[in-house]
Amino acid sequence: MRLLVKGGRVIDPANHLDEVADLLVENGVIREIRPGIPEAGAEVLDAAGKVVCPGFIDIHVHLREPGFEYKEDIASGTRAAAAGGFTSVCCMPNTCPVIDNNAVTGFIRRRAEEVGVVNVYPIGSITKQQEGKEIAEIADLVAAGCVAISDDGRPVMNAEIMRRALEYTKMFDIPVISHCEDLNLAEEGQMHEGYYSTLYGLKGIPAVAEEIMVARDILLAGATGSRVHFAHVSTRGSLNLIRQARQQGLRVTCEVTPHHLTLTDEVVGTYDTDTKVNPPLRSREDVEALRAALREGLVDCIATDHAPHELEAKDCEFNLASFGISGLETAVAVILSELVNPGELDLGEMVRLLAVNPARVLGLDKGTLTPGAAADITILDLNAVKEVVPASFHSKGKNNPFKGRRLRGWPWATIVSGKIVALNGEIMV
Ligand code: DOR
């Protein structure tokens, strides 16, 4: 089986490549990239005027299966990923049962083989049942295929447990992904603590609730020599701490989300529960600091924290609504529209943040178009203009604060192991 992606601008930072060329895929593997490859019976995808990149990898996704299939399942979540331009996703362990043993890990991998349309890499929990009390069987999780561990959504409050987990993971060279939130400081909070929380009358979650845990985990990374990856970093103070840690040579990496890069706490004044997310949308100063950190190269990855919810979880009073944004289908368009097209972020940098670095952080054999690599490819149309219409999402979660916005720049084609799985928002398999 041969697929010829013809005439696109091919960007592959790993090979310092940025040129108009053809890309030939054979039997699911990238064979050759150069101008003027003959068609010779291959299926042809005309990519003239489009941008051809290594497949995007979202390292922070909630697929909800098993246990919460009314919010999302592996079939719908991977279809959403494909439509959104992602060829691989890593799924968080806050399922029911929790991904804290090899049986659940195996189940997810099998389901992904059966019904998934993109690659799925499970992330195991740090503690059994994510209860923060007893470390999970990490060796079993790694042997079963988990690429990292995290208690995402439920931070490990006990520093001793976190320390042991960090020491243990050193054996496998996988990162511990830290959801930084001091639950005592954040308790009952609904939005970022600041001017707008006072104005809107909603209890605030202070920036320090995140920063105190970033500081703790940096200290623990230093004490153990282990790898910590900070999930959804949202404040200027967290970035300052991470910068210092990097300068000290500690093995810390971090991700930011499209919503934290583009929305401030002011929008919560609509009382639209789709703006309720954890960590909360922060102040303008924080958003500016996140953007500056992207330009500086301090941020390793952009990840969605795709958190789909059923209608009832959001169609209620703000205080009662669940936290989370269904972000897989808008992430790439938001980054293109708000950062790349206005000239704030260059395309090569975007590819680093969405493909090269996610693969590096998790040790995945992905993130490049090098001949011989699996043909996971994301093709972008920088000029497409479309409105965000959650009702037409492939995800079961329609909770998205960008609804109604017209965005310029969208994923056009998603190719997994040489197979076109999504084209122009349609699923092809
Ligand atoms: O907003 C969020 N929703 N943040 C998290 O950390 C967890 C997620 C979820 O699972 O719904």
Side-chain angles (χ1 to χ4, degrees):
M1 220 206 76
R2 289 151 61 88
L3 172 70
L4 185 63
V5 180
K6 240 182 132 51
R9 173 177 165 197
V10 183
I11 299 186
D12 184 18
N15 289 306
H16 309 287
L17 185 72
D18 183 351
E19 65 180 38
V20 173
D22 300 340
L23 183 157
L24 179 66
V25 174
E26 240 172 21
N27 300 325
V29 169
I30 294 174
R31 185 61 58 211
E32 191 181 12
I33 301 175
R34 67 173 167 88
I37 301 178
E39 291 181 14
E43 180 189 353
V44 175
L45 187 65
D46 181 3
K50 312 281 195 310
V51 179
V52 180
C53 314
F56 292 166
I57 304 166
D58 188 347
I59 67 173
H60 193 145
V61 167
H62 298 272
L63 289 179
R64 307 297 197 203
E65 184 177 355
F68 303 104
E69 291 85 352
Y70 53 95
K71 294 179 188 283
E72 192 77 291
D73 58 29
I74 291 170
S76 62
T78 58
R79 291 166 83 85
F86 293 97
T87 55
S88 297
V89 296
C90 304
C91 57
M92 283 294 174
N94 58 344
T95 47
C96 184
V98 167
I99 312 178
D100 66 358
N101 61 67
N102 52 6
V104 183
T105 312
F107 166 79
I108 290 170
R109 293 187 66 193
R110 276 194 307 280
R111 271 315 270 168
E113 283 293 319
E114 285 162 18
V115 300
V117 298
V118 303
N119 305 302
V120 174
Y121 297 96
I123 294 172
S125 63
I126 299 173
T127 62
K128 289 185 180 163
Q129 317 263 344
Q130 278 190 296
E131 280 176 345
K133 293 186 188 142
E134 201 184 335
I135 291 178
E137 298 291 347
I138 298 169
D140 282 358
L141 289 169
V142 174
C146 287
V147 293
I149 55 167
S150 179
D151 272 7
D152 186 73
R154 276 181 88 170
V156 178
M157 288 293 290
N158 183 325
E160 164 66 0
I161 303 254
M162 193 64 166
R163 173 196 167 186
R164 295 288 170 218
L166 281 163
E167 281 172 346
Y168 202 55
T169 53
K170 220 170 147 184
M171 258 193 277
F172 312 104
D173 202 33
I174 57 165
V176 176
I177 301 179
S178 178
H179 165 118
C180 289
E181 180 187 5
D182 181 301
L183 293 174
N184 299 310
L185 286 167
E187 206 180 350
E188 308 268 306
Q190 303 294 321
M191 66 173 292
H192 174 62
E193 181 179 289
Y195 170 79
Y196 288 108
S197 62
T198 313
L199 189 68
Y200 303 154
L202 291 170
K203 184 162 185 322
I205 301 172
V208 74
E210 175 175 311
E211 291 155 2
I212 208 162
M213 295 295 261
V214 172
R216 182 199 76 175
D217 288 348
I218 285 172
L219 290 171
L220 290 174
T224 58
S226 304
R227 292 176 55 198
V228 177
H229 176 79
F230 291 107
H232 43 50
V233 170
S234 70
T235 79
R236 186 167 63 164
S238 296
L239 292 165
N240 288 341
L241 291 163
I242 291 167
R243 185 180 299 103
Q244 281 173 24
R246 285 276 179 80
Q247 283 161 358
Q248 288 165 26
L250 299 184
R251 302 169 78 203
V252 302
T253 52
C254 68
E255 77 197 25
V256 299
T257 71
H259 48 271
H260 290 115
L261 283 166
T262 55
L263 299 172
T264 68
D265 55 346
E266 189 180 354
V267 300
V268 178
T270 56
Y271 294 91
D272 173 3
T273 54
D274 292 347
T275 65
K276 182 172 175 180
V277 63
N278 191 16
L281 301 175
R282 298 288 188 185
S283 70
R284 178 152 303 282
E285 273 187 356
D286 291 311
V287 173
E288 277 164 15
L290 292 190
R291 287 178 173 221
L294 270 196
R295 291 191 294 272
E296 176 193 337
L298 183 65
V299 173
D300 297 276
C301 309
I302 293 176
T304 61
D305 191 8
H306 176 73
H309 288 293
E310 74 283 18
L311 186 63
E312 293 72 27
K314 288 290 195 180
D315 193 12
C316 57
E317 294 85 340
F318 202 92
N319 283 348
L320 301 178
S322 298
F323 289 92
I325 290 174
S326 176
L328 274 172
E329 282 162 271
T330 51
V332 170
V334 166
I335 298 300
L336 287 173
S337 187
E338 305 292 309
L339 296 171
V340 174
N341 276 332
E344 203 177 308
L345 182 69
D346 77 41
L347 270 173
E349 215 31 60
M350 178 185 179
V351 175
R352 275 185 208 287
L353 291 158
L354 282 161
V356 181
N357 293 344
R360 175 177 55 81
V361 167
L362 293 180
L364 308 178
D365 187 14
K366 303 256 171 217
T368 173
L369 298 173
T370 305
D376 288 358
I377 303 166
T378 298
I379 307 181
L380 309 172
D381 182 346
L382 301 188
N383 298 314
V385 178
K386 277 194 266 179
E387 186 181 323
V388 175
V389 182
S392 60
F393 280 1
H394 296 276
S395 170
K396 294 184 188 178
K398 313 300 178 193
N399 46 305
N400 185 299
F402 298 102
K403 57 185 169 281
R405 285 220 203 173
R406 282 178 81 73
L407 301 177
R408 190 163 81 84
W410 285 83
W412 178 66
T414 309
I415 299 172
V416 177
S417 294
K419 201 151 68 170
I420 302 171
V421 295
L423 193 62
N424 230 344
E426 296 292 315
I427 301 299
M428 308 298 283
V429 286

mmCIF file of all heavy atoms in Angstrom, residues 60 62 64 71 92 94 151-154 179 181 231-232 259-260 276-280 305-309 314 322-325 399, ligand 1:
data_model
loop_
_atom_site.group_PDB
_atom_site.id
_atom_site.type_symbol
_atom_site.label_atom_id
_atom_site.label_comp_id
_atom_site.label_asym_id
_atom_site.label_seq_id
_atom_site.Cartn_x
_atom_site.Cartn_y
_atom_site.Cartn_z
ATOM 1 N N HIS A 60 -2.064 14.518 27.229
ATOM 2 C CA HIS A 60 -2.955 14.696 28.390
ATOM 3 C C HIS A 60 -4.422 14.682 27.954
ATOM 4 O O HIS A 60 -5.012 15.710 27.617
ATOM 5 C CB HIS A 60 -2.620 16.018 29.087
ATOM 6 C CG HIS A 60 -3.245 16.153 30.425
ATOM 7 N ND1 HIS A 60 -2.629 16.801 31.478
ATOM 8 C CD2 HIS A 60 -4.434 15.729 30.925
ATOM 9 C CE1 HIS A 60 -3.411 16.769 32.536
ATOM 10 N NE2 HIS A 60 -4.520 16.125 32.216
ATOM 11 N N HIS A 62 -8.373 12.730 28.699
ATOM 12 C CA HIS A 62 -9.243 11.865 29.505
ATOM 13 C C HIS A 62 -10.191 11.148 28.545
ATOM 14 O O HIS A 62 -11.084 11.773 27.973
ATOM 15 C CB HIS A 62 -10.029 12.690 30.525
ATOM 16 C CG HIS A 62 -9.136 13.391 31.514
ATOM 17 N ND1 HIS A 62 -8.720 12.787 32.689
ATOM 18 C CD2 HIS A 62 -8.546 14.604 31.487
ATOM 19 C CE1 HIS A 62 -7.917 13.624 33.349
ATOM 20 N NE2 HIS A 62 -7.796 14.736 32.639
ATOM 21 N N ARG A 64 -11.970 8.481 29.518
ATOM 22 C CA ARG A 64 -13.131 8.126 30.375
ATOM 23 C C ARG A 64 -13.517 6.655 30.397
ATOM 24 O O ARG A 64 -14.361 6.274 31.185
ATOM 25 C CB ARG A 64 -14.382 8.946 30.009
ATOM 26 C CG ARG A 64 -14.196 10.454 29.986
ATOM 27 C CD ARG A 64 -13.823 11.021 31.326
ATOM 28 N NE ARG A 64 -14.027 12.460 31.375
ATOM 29 C CZ ARG A 64 -13.399 13.269 32.218
ATOM 30 N NH1 ARG A 64 -12.532 12.782 33.094
ATOM 31 N NH2 ARG A 64 -13.649 14.553 32.229
ATOM 32 N N LYS A 71 -19.552 9.975 29.322
ATOM 33 C CA LYS A 71 -18.825 11.222 29.040
ATOM 34 C C LYS A 71 -18.010 11.095 27.746
ATOM 35 O O LYS A 71 -17.892 12.028 26.964
ATOM 36 C CB LYS A 71 -17.851 11.547 30.182
ATOM 37 C CG LYS A 71 -18.516 11.885 31.518
ATOM 38 C CD LYS A 71 -17.452 12.158 32.580
ATOM 39 C CE LYS A 71 -18.038 12.308 33.970
ATOM 40 N NZ LYS A 71 -18.673 13.619 34.192
ATOM 41 N N MET A 92 -5.350 9.538 30.685
ATOM 42 C CA MET A 92 -5.160 9.683 32.130
ATOM 43 C C MET A 92 -5.908 8.587 32.902
ATOM 44 O O MET A 92 -6.934 8.081 32.438
ATOM 45 C CB MET A 92 -5.625 11.068 32.566
ATOM 46 C CG MET A 92 -4.642 12.148 32.214
ATOM 47 S SD MET A 92 -3.110 11.898 33.188
ATOM 48 C CE MET A 92 -2.073 13.164 32.467
ATOM 49 N N ASN A 94 -7.808 8.522 35.624
ATOM 50 C CA ASN A 94 -8.988 8.709 36.486
ATOM 51 C C ASN A 94 -10.246 8.130 35.856
ATOM 52 O O ASN A 94 -11.223 8.811 35.574
ATOM 53 C CB ASN A 94 -9.180 10.182 36.899
ATOM 54 C CG ASN A 94 -9.325 11.145 35.735
ATOM 55 O OD1 ASN A 94 -8.993 10.814 34.598
ATOM 56 N ND2 ASN A 94 -9.818 12.338 36.010
ATOM 57 N N ASP A 151 -1.404 10.992 39.148
ATOM 58 C CA ASP A 151 -2.701 10.950 39.828
ATOM 59 C C ASP A 151 -3.530 12.143 39.356
ATOM 60 O O ASP A 151 -4.197 12.815 40.146
ATOM 61 C CB ASP A 151 -2.541 10.950 41.363
ATOM 62 C CG ASP A 151 -2.390 9.518 41.896
ATOM 63 O OD1 ASP A 151 -2.282 8.593 41.075
ATOM 64 O OD2 ASP A 151 -2.367 9.332 43.129
ATOM 65 N N ASP A 152 -3.487 12.406 38.059
ATOM 66 C CA ASP A 152 -4.125 13.611 37.519
ATOM 67 C C ASP A 152 -5.568 13.775 38.005
ATOM 68 O O ASP A 152 -6.327 12.820 38.041
ATOM 69 C CB ASP A 152 -4.134 13.597 35.991
ATOM 70 C CG ASP A 152 -4.653 14.919 35.474
ATOM 71 O OD1 ASP A 152 -3.909 15.898 35.569
ATOM 72 O OD2 ASP A 152 -5.800 14.979 34.999
ATOM 73 N N GLY A 153 -5.889 14.997 38.332
ATOM 74 C CA GLY A 153 -7.226 15.294 38.854
ATOM 75 C C GLY A 153 -7.277 15.143 40.364
ATOM 76 O O GLY A 153 -8.089 15.775 41.035
ATOM 77 N N ARG A 154 -6.411 14.307 40.918
ATOM 78 C CA ARG A 154 -6.345 14.096 42.374
ATOM 79 C C ARG A 154 -4.887 14.127 42.793
ATOM 80 O O ARG A 154 -4.221 13.099 42.808
ATOM 81 C CB ARG A 154 -6.935 12.729 42.742
ATOM 82 C CG ARG A 154 -8.426 12.742 42.877
ATOM 83 C CD ARG A 154 -8.912 11.363 43.251
ATOM 84 N NE ARG A 154 -8.925 11.162 44.689
ATOM 85 C CZ ARG A 154 -9.488 10.104 45.268
ATOM 86 N NH1 ARG A 154 -10.039 9.157 44.548
ATOM 87 N NH2 ARG A 154 -9.485 9.986 46.568
ATOM 88 N N HIS A 179 0.014 16.725 38.761
ATOM 89 C CA HIS A 179 -1.112 17.671 38.730
ATOM 90 C C HIS A 179 -0.948 18.499 39.996
ATOM 91 O O HIS A 179 -1.200 18.018 41.100
ATOM 92 C CB HIS A 179 -2.428 16.880 38.728
ATOM 93 C CG HIS A 179 -3.651 17.678 39.053
ATOM 94 N ND1 HIS A 179 -4.686 17.844 38.161
ATOM 95 C CD2 HIS A 179 -4.029 18.357 40.164
ATOM 96 C CE1 HIS A 179 -5.635 18.585 38.709
ATOM 97 N NE2 HIS A 179 -5.265 18.897 39.927
ATOM 98 N N GLU A 181 -1.714 20.864 42.704
ATOM 99 C CA GLU A 181 -2.843 21.561 43.340
ATOM 100 C C GLU A 181 -2.845 21.189 44.820
ATOM 101 O O GLU A 181 -3.019 20.017 45.156
ATOM 102 C CB GLU A 181 -4.154 21.108 42.673
ATOM 103 C CG GLU A 181 -5.395 21.756 43.257
ATOM 104 C CD GLU A 181 -6.694 21.160 42.691
ATOM 105 O OE1 GLU A 181 -6.634 20.174 41.916
ATOM 106 O OE2 GLU A 181 -7.763 21.669 43.062
ATOM 107 N N ALA A 231 1.945 18.942 34.630
ATOM 108 C CA ALA A 231 0.761 19.024 33.767
ATOM 109 C C ALA A 231 0.186 20.438 33.826
ATOM 110 O O ALA A 231 0.372 21.157 34.821
ATOM 111 C CB ALA A 231 -0.289 18.016 34.242
ATOM 112 N N HIS A 232 -0.515 20.805 32.787
ATOM 113 C CA HIS A 232 -1.271 22.071 32.698
ATOM 114 C C HIS A 232 -0.801 23.210 33.612
ATOM 115 O O HIS A 232 -1.542 23.701 34.459
ATOM 116 C CB HIS A 232 -2.773 21.829 32.908
ATOM 117 C CG HIS A 232 -3.156 20.883 34.018
ATOM 118 N ND1 HIS A 232 -2.673 20.977 35.303
ATOM 119 C CD2 HIS A 232 -3.993 19.816 34.007
ATOM 120 C CE1 HIS A 232 -3.203 20.008 36.024
ATOM 121 N NE2 HIS A 232 -4.001 19.295 35.270
ATOM 122 N N HIS A 259 -6.278 26.414 26.204
ATOM 123 C CA HIS A 259 -7.200 27.359 26.866
ATOM 124 C C HIS A 259 -6.462 28.278 27.830
ATOM 125 O O HIS A 259 -6.786 29.460 27.933
ATOM 126 C CB HIS A 259 -8.388 26.658 27.525
ATOM 127 C CG HIS A 259 -8.069 25.466 28.383
ATOM 128 N ND1 HIS A 259 -7.996 24.194 27.891
ATOM 129 C CD2 HIS A 259 -7.803 25.354 29.706
ATOM 130 C CE1 HIS A 259 -7.715 23.352 28.866
ATOM 131 N NE2 HIS A 259 -7.582 24.034 29.985
ATOM 132 N N HIS A 260 -5.439 27.761 28.523
ATOM 133 C CA HIS A 260 -4.690 28.659 29.421
ATOM 134 C C HIS A 260 -3.846 29.670 28.659
ATOM 135 O O HIS A 260 -3.487 30.713 29.190
ATOM 136 C CB HIS A 260 -3.817 27.849 30.383
ATOM 137 C CG HIS A 260 -4.600 27.100 31.415
ATOM 138 N ND1 HIS A 260 -4.642 25.737 31.475
ATOM 139 C CD2 HIS A 260 -5.413 27.541 32.417
ATOM 140 C CE1 HIS A 260 -5.439 25.363 32.468
ATOM 141 N NE2 HIS A 260 -5.918 26.435 33.056
ATOM 142 N N LYS A 276 -15.321 26.658 33.195
ATOM 143 C CA LYS A 276 -14.882 26.130 34.498
ATOM 144 C C LYS A 276 -13.947 24.948 34.260
ATOM 145 O O LYS A 276 -14.346 23.914 33.717
ATOM 146 C CB LYS A 276 -16.091 25.702 35.327
ATOM 147 C CG LYS A 276 -15.719 25.194 36.706
ATOM 148 C CD LYS A 276 -16.955 24.977 37.558
ATOM 149 C CE LYS A 276 -16.600 24.346 38.893
ATOM 150 N NZ LYS A 276 -17.784 24.130 39.747
ATOM 151 N N VAL A 277 -12.709 25.117 34.674
ATOM 152 C CA VAL A 277 -11.694 24.113 34.388
ATOM 153 C C VAL A 277 -10.666 24.153 35.513
ATOM 154 O O VAL A 277 -10.550 25.158 36.221
ATOM 155 C CB VAL A 277 -11.062 24.415 32.994
ATOM 156 C CG1 VAL A 277 -10.346 25.751 32.959
ATOM 157 C CG2 VAL A 277 -10.152 23.302 32.522
ATOM 158 N N ASN A 278 -9.968 23.051 35.669
ATOM 159 C CA ASN A 278 -8.990 22.951 36.736
ATOM 160 C C ASN A 278 -7.625 22.550 36.172
ATOM 161 O O ASN A 278 -7.534 21.495 35.556
ATOM 162 C CB ASN A 278 -9.456 21.889 37.749
ATOM 163 C CG ASN A 278 -8.636 21.924 39.005
ATOM 164 O OD1 ASN A 278 -7.935 22.891 39.267
ATOM 165 N ND2 ASN A 278 -8.707 20.853 39.778
ATOM 166 N N PRO A 279 -6.546 23.334 36.345
ATOM 167 C CA PRO A 279 -6.524 24.632 37.001
ATOM 168 C C PRO A 279 -7.386 25.655 36.272
ATOM 169 O O PRO A 279 -7.646 25.502 35.075
ATOM 170 C CB PRO A 279 -5.041 25.032 36.960
ATOM 171 C CG PRO A 279 -4.423 24.174 35.923
ATOM 172 C CD PRO A 279 -5.228 22.928 35.851
ATOM 173 N N PRO A 280 -7.822 26.683 37.009
ATOM 174 C CA PRO A 280 -8.752 27.635 36.417
ATOM 175 C C PRO A 280 -8.082 28.546 35.399
ATOM 176 O O PRO A 280 -6.856 28.689 35.392
ATOM 177 C CB PRO A 280 -9.211 28.450 37.637
ATOM 178 C CG PRO A 280 -8.076 28.366 38.592
ATOM 179 C CD PRO A 280 -7.462 27.011 38.394
ATOM 180 N N ASP A 305 -5.514 18.501 27.940
ATOM 181 C CA ASP A 305 -6.305 18.150 29.129
ATOM 182 C C ASP A 305 -7.771 17.959 28.722
ATOM 183 O O ASP A 305 -8.687 18.408 29.412
ATOM 184 C CB ASP A 305 -6.174 19.211 30.232
ATOM 185 C CG ASP A 305 -6.763 18.726 31.555
ATOM 186 O OD1 ASP A 305 -7.130 17.535 31.654
ATOM 187 O OD2 ASP A 305 -6.857 19.540 32.497
ATOM 188 N N HIS A 306 -7.946 17.291 27.587
ATOM 189 C CA HIS A 306 -9.303 17.001 27.069
ATOM 190 C C HIS A 306 -10.135 16.347 28.177
ATOM 191 O O HIS A 306 -9.843 15.227 28.598
ATOM 192 C CB HIS A 306 -9.157 16.055 25.871
ATOM 193 C CG HIS A 306 -10.447 15.575 25.285
ATOM 194 N ND1 HIS A 306 -11.269 16.381 24.531
ATOM 195 C CD2 HIS A 306 -11.062 14.361 25.334
ATOM 196 C CE1 HIS A 306 -12.328 15.689 24.130
ATOM 197 N NE2 HIS A 306 -12.231 14.453 24.610
ATOM 198 N N ALA A 307 -11.145 17.061 28.650
ATOM 199 C CA ALA A 307 -11.962 16.575 29.783
ATOM 200 C C ALA A 307 -13.443 16.667 29.424
ATOM 201 O O ALA A 307 -14.150 17.599 29.810
ATOM 202 C CB ALA A 307 -11.654 17.394 31.033
ATOM 203 N N PRO A 308 -13.911 15.679 28.640
ATOM 204 C CA PRO A 308 -15.309 15.708 28.205
ATOM 205 C C PRO A 308 -16.261 15.392 29.354
ATOM 206 O O PRO A 308 -15.950 14.565 30.217
ATOM 207 C CB PRO A 308 -15.358 14.599 27.141
ATOM 208 C CG PRO A 308 -14.246 13.667 27.497
ATOM 209 C CD PRO A 308 -13.183 14.488 28.153
ATOM 210 N N HIS A 309 -17.412 16.046 29.354
ATOM 211 C CA HIS A 309 -18.450 15.782 30.358
ATOM 212 C C HIS A 309 -19.803 15.667 29.677
ATOM 213 O O HIS A 309 -20.029 16.254 28.614
ATOM 214 C CB HIS A 309 -18.503 16.909 31.390
ATOM 215 C CG HIS A 309 -17.326 16.903 32.321
ATOM 216 N ND1 HIS A 309 -17.108 15.899 33.239
ATOM 217 C CD2 HIS A 309 -16.300 17.767 32.466
ATOM 218 C CE1 HIS A 309 -15.990 16.160 33.917
ATOM 219 N NE2 HIS A 309 -15.477 17.281 33.461
ATOM 220 N N LYS A 314 -22.626 20.017 33.163
ATOM 221 C CA LYS A 314 -22.319 21.414 32.843
ATOM 222 C C LYS A 314 -23.578 22.283 32.799
ATOM 223 O O LYS A 314 -23.486 23.507 32.957
ATOM 224 C CB LYS A 314 -21.610 21.481 31.476
ATOM 225 C CG LYS A 314 -20.171 20.960 31.496
ATOM 226 C CD LYS A 314 -19.239 21.902 32.267
ATOM 227 C CE LYS A 314 -17.777 21.616 32.010
ATOM 228 N NZ LYS A 314 -16.868 22.522 32.736
ATOM 229 N N SER A 322 -19.084 20.433 36.804
ATOM 230 C CA SER A 322 -17.789 19.738 36.800
ATOM 231 C C SER A 322 -16.741 20.616 36.125
ATOM 232 O O SER A 322 -17.061 21.447 35.275
ATOM 233 C CB SER A 322 -17.892 18.424 36.028
ATOM 234 O OG SER A 322 -18.819 17.573 36.640
ATOM 235 N N PHE A 323 -15.497 20.385 36.509
ATOM 236 C CA PHE A 323 -14.370 21.085 35.876
ATOM 237 C C PHE A 323 -14.006 20.371 34.576
ATOM 238 O O PHE A 323 -13.960 19.142 34.548
ATOM 239 C CB PHE A 323 -13.145 21.037 36.791
ATOM 240 C CG PHE A 323 -13.238 21.893 38.023
ATOM 241 C CD1 PHE A 323 -13.716 21.383 39.224
ATOM 242 C CD2 PHE A 323 -12.829 23.216 37.982
ATOM 243 C CE1 PHE A 323 -13.773 22.171 40.369
ATOM 244 C CE2 PHE A 323 -12.881 24.014 39.115
ATOM 245 C CZ PHE A 323 -13.358 23.498 40.315
ATOM 246 N N GLY A 324 -13.706 21.127 33.542
ATOM 247 C CA GLY A 324 -13.133 20.476 32.353
ATOM 248 C C GLY A 324 -13.609 21.049 31.041
ATOM 249 O O GLY A 324 -14.709 21.603 30.939
ATOM 250 N N ILE A 325 -12.753 20.893 30.032
ATOM 251 C CA ILE A 325 -13.008 21.371 28.674
ATOM 252 C C ILE A 325 -12.773 20.218 27.705
ATOM 253 O O ILE A 325 -11.754 19.526 27.788
ATOM 254 C CB ILE A 325 -12.056 22.548 28.335
ATOM 255 C CG1 ILE A 325 -12.446 23.787 29.156
ATOM 256 C CG2 ILE A 325 -12.054 22.852 26.835
ATOM 257 C CD1 ILE A 325 -11.491 24.960 29.024
ATOM 258 N N ASN A 399 -18.632 20.306 25.879
ATOM 259 C CA ASN A 399 -18.243 21.408 26.775
ATOM 260 C C ASN A 399 -16.977 22.096 26.273
ATOM 261 O O ASN A 399 -15.870 21.648 26.537
ATOM 262 C CB ASN A 399 -18.055 20.876 28.209
ATOM 263 C CG ASN A 399 -17.240 19.593 28.304
ATOM 264 O OD1 ASN A 399 -17.559 18.587 27.671
ATOM 265 N ND2 ASN A 399 -16.184 19.633 29.086
HETATM 266 O O1 DOR B 1 -10.658 20.407 34.515
HETATM 267 C C1 DOR B 1 -10.211 19.290 34.749
HETATM 268 N N1 DOR B 1 -10.913 18.176 34.471
HETATM 269 N N2 DOR B 1 -9.002 19.173 35.329
HETATM 270 C C2 DOR B 1 -8.520 17.996 35.761
HETATM 271 O O2 DOR B 1 -7.427 17.967 36.263
HETATM 272 C C3 DOR B 1 -9.321 16.770 35.631
HETATM 273 C C4 DOR B 1 -10.298 16.890 34.527
HETATM 274 C C5 DOR B 1 -11.336 15.811 34.525
HETATM 275 O O3 DOR B 1 -10.983 14.632 34.693
HETATM 276 O O4 DOR B 1 -12.522 16.131 34.305
#
